[in-house]
Amino acid sequence: MTGERANEVDRTTVSIHALIDRILALPDDERGIAIRAMTVPMRRELAARWHAWAHAGQTAPPGDWRVWLIRAGRGFGKTRAGSEWVHAMAHAHPGARIALVGATLDEVRRVMIEGRAGLIATARGDRAPAWRATARELLFSSGAVATPFSAESPEGLRGPEHHFAWCDELGKWGRGGEAAWDNLMMGMRGGERPRLLVTTTPRPTHLMRRVMALPGVVETLGRTRDNPFLPQSFVAAMEAEYGGTRLGRQELDGEMIEDVAGALWTWAMIERCRGPVPMSVERVVVGVDPPASATGDACGIVAVALDGAGIAHVLADASVVGERPEGWARAVAACAGAVGADRVVAEKNQGGDMVRSVLRAADVAMPVKLVHASRGKAARAEPVAALYEAGRVRHAGRFPQLEDELCGLTTGGGYEGPGRSPDRADALVWAVSELMLERGGRAAVRGM
């Protein structure tokens, strides 16, 4: 490079630095406007000055907290905040063991490690960590090691001890999420002050509510439009299409929408119905919603008891996923035996008399009643939801996946809960209908 060319580059660099310093000195609202008008090189330079421009929602809160929850809309800057916090912990605590937990291992790699705002991209200078994919570990120059984990495989978190953890998109953690969280928390015993950061767009799941209710949790809230680096056209388009809607309030504004619009069950209703295991019961029924295939939906298996006062008690959710007919039939038999059931009620639409044969082969000794689903799941659920509203059904424990499905059923036949189908909820409906509606002639089922 010639001297003249080098001097030109130096002058350009100095001018960019001066402009950035002026922008950083602006009030927050004016700074956002200025950032959106910057050129790409300017934005890159500004991005390198993280601690100077990060907004308040992206910096760690003061105090002796154990769990920091960033609950914000998409594009708020949650991933960048998580990466920067992990970098800070890794270099302030040489040799620290750090857990990186996401919904799947692929998402941990693509977003938290290799993503545009991930740990590799946000490293500065010679502090870039080395990603050893085959060993599944990210090595920092300080000697700290970050290990990826999947909420789909909670047993992987049983045993390892960690000083720090970053959990991303907690609202997306599916089956195994609760167990993954519990195993992680039991392993957070490294050092004197183990800490955990959760970055997520909120969803009304049982695990999300658990984390929000933890004693001493520090919560940061934020909206998509709070990030001045997002293109204004994108923000405007999202606001125009989703602003004010339930989806927009959740995904853009980071609000925790507890109840689905038009839901047959609400979370307040579920919480009101909690009670102890009944001391004595008159009947116990296991409701079964068989899957269409082994690779499809879950096989809903829910046990419900009826006491002498005419109150139904949900005793167990023994639903299984990915099992062949003989597998889910054994699960039905085990559940029936454990709760002392006197009858199994199963939907016959998915396989007809095959359901009865499979259950017999699994040594289900009590009577098996097959019912035909002549109406949709939500329509069948409406009279059962009315029993909940009247206080005639109680939950003898907590059944997160079942309860998430119940709160996703809506009037008019819709379903906005987790998974493709409310199989657990449907199994509960069959059982409660058999115990409380069939005799009164109001059941939405026809015995076969």
Side-chain angles (χ1 to χ4, degrees):
M1 180 182 295
T2 64
E4 183 177 349
R5 176 60 176 163
N7 289 336
E8 181 182 344
V9 171
D10 289 342
R11 287 194 298 273
T12 301
T13 302
V14 170
S15 64
I16 291 176
H17 287 190
L19 180 58
I20 288 176
D21 288 339
R22 292 175 59 188
I23 290 173
L24 292 175
L26 292 172
D28 289 344
D29 54 345
E30 296 180 25
R31 185 190 307 162
I33 297 173
I35 288 173
R36 294 186 182 100
M38 292 173 67
T39 64
V40 173
M42 290 178 180
R43 290 193 183 192
R44 287 175 180 166
E45 173 63 25
L46 184 60
R49 301 190 180 193
W50 162 257
H51 294 289
W53 62 260
H55 56 72
Q58 293 178 302
T59 56
D64 191 23
W65 50 268
R66 180 176 175 82
V67 177
W68 174 25
L69 170 62
I70 301 180
R71 178 164 59 92
R74 297 190 190 185
F76 173 77
K78 301 184 295 295
T79 304
R80 182 64 187 266
S83 293
E84 294 288 348
W85 181 77
V86 169
H87 278 298
M89 296 302 100
H91 292 286
H93 303 272
R97 295 181 297 278
I98 305 170
L100 306 175
V101 191
T104 66
L105 281 177
D106 182 62
E107 289 190 16
V108 175
R109 177 186 59 80
R110 288 189 300 102
V111 178
M112 303 170 73
I113 296 174
E114 298 178 346
R116 294 182 60 184
L119 288 160
I120 294 176
T122 55
R124 287 181 284 278
D126 59 354
R127 301 173 68 175
W131 170 227
R132 297 182 179 178
T134 55
R136 280 180 51 195
E137 59 183 18
L138 193 67
L139 304 181
F140 293 84
S141 59
S142 67
V145 179
T147 306
F149 295 93
S150 167
E152 290 184 328
S153 303
E155 290 302 307
L157 283 160
R158 182 187 294 275
E161 295 185 12
H162 297 101
H163 298 80
F164 306 101
W166 173 21
C167 300
D168 191 45
E169 291 301 347
L170 188 81
K172 289 176 60 179
W173 291 16
R175 295 188 302 270
E178 297 252 354
W181 176 266
D182 291 336
N183 287 340
L184 173 65
M185 292 299 287
M186 291 179 185
M188 294 297 296
R189 51 183 185 267
E192 296 183 0
R193 295 179 61 201
R195 290 187 161 189
L196 187 149
L197 168 61
V198 177
T199 54
T200 188
T201 299
R203 292 186 181 181
T205 65
H206 189 269
L207 178 56
M208 178 71 74
R209 287 186 295 277
R210 274 188 59 192
V211 174
M212 291 172 60
L214 286 173
V217 64
V218 176
E219 193 171 21
T220 294
L221 307 179
R223 304 164 299 178
T224 298
R225 59 181 174 272
D226 292 337
N227 187 347
F229 285 89
L230 291 176
Q232 186 61 35
S233 58
F234 168 79
V235 176
M238 293 298 99
E239 292 288 349
E241 185 166 359
Y242 301 107
T245 67
R246 178 183 178 276
L247 182 63
R249 289 169 57 200
Q250 174 179 286
E251 300 295 322
L252 302 179
D253 296 338
E255 291 187 33
M256 182 71 167
I257 308 300
E258 289 288 342
D259 294 319
V260 173
L264 293 175
W265 278 263
T266 66
W267 287 108
M269 186 192 305
I270 294 291
E271 292 302 325
R272 284 198 304 269
C273 78
R274 300 207 185 277
V277 176
M279 297 297 293
S280 63
V281 297
E282 294 188 346
R283 292 189 63 200
V284 181
V285 168
V286 173
V288 181
D289 183 45
S293 67
T295 58
D297 301 320
C299 176
I301 306 170
V302 177
V304 183
L306 184 67
D307 66 17
I311 302 297
H313 301 263
V314 181
L315 302 179
D317 174 11
S319 305
V320 293
V321 180
E323 291 285 352
R324 298 180 64 83
E326 59 270 21
W328 59 254
R330 285 195 298 270
V332 172
C335 177
V339 299
D342 55 76
R343 174 166 291 191
V344 171
V345 179
E347 181 181 334
K348 70 168 292 183
N349 294 48
Q350 305 290 358
D353 289 335
M354 180 274 289
V355 174
R356 190 192 303 273
S357 300
V358 168
L359 292 174
R360 292 291 187 222
D363 196 27
V364 177
M366 72 286 301
V368 176
K369 178 179 180 179
L370 300 183
V371 287
H372 177 72
S374 59
R375 295 192 292 168
K377 294 178 186 288
R380 296 196 303 273
E382 289 180 4
V384 175
L387 292 173
Y388 273 77
E389 287 186 312
R392 296 184 61 195
V393 182
R394 296 175 184 168
H395 285 200
R398 295 183 179 273
F399 311 103
Q401 292 171 297
L402 168 62
E403 291 163 5
D404 283 344
E405 288 187 2
L406 290 174
C407 291
L409 287 165
T410 64
T411 55
Y415 177 62
E416 298 184 31
R420 295 182 300 177
S421 179
D423 308 289
R424 300 166 191 269
D426 209 32
L428 176 141
V429 167
W430 291 127
V432 174
S433 296
E434 169 67 18
L435 288 172
M436 304 188 71
L437 299 178
E438 185 70 14
R439 293 178 181 176
R442 294 182 291 144
V445 299
R446 176 164 55 89
M448 300 299 292

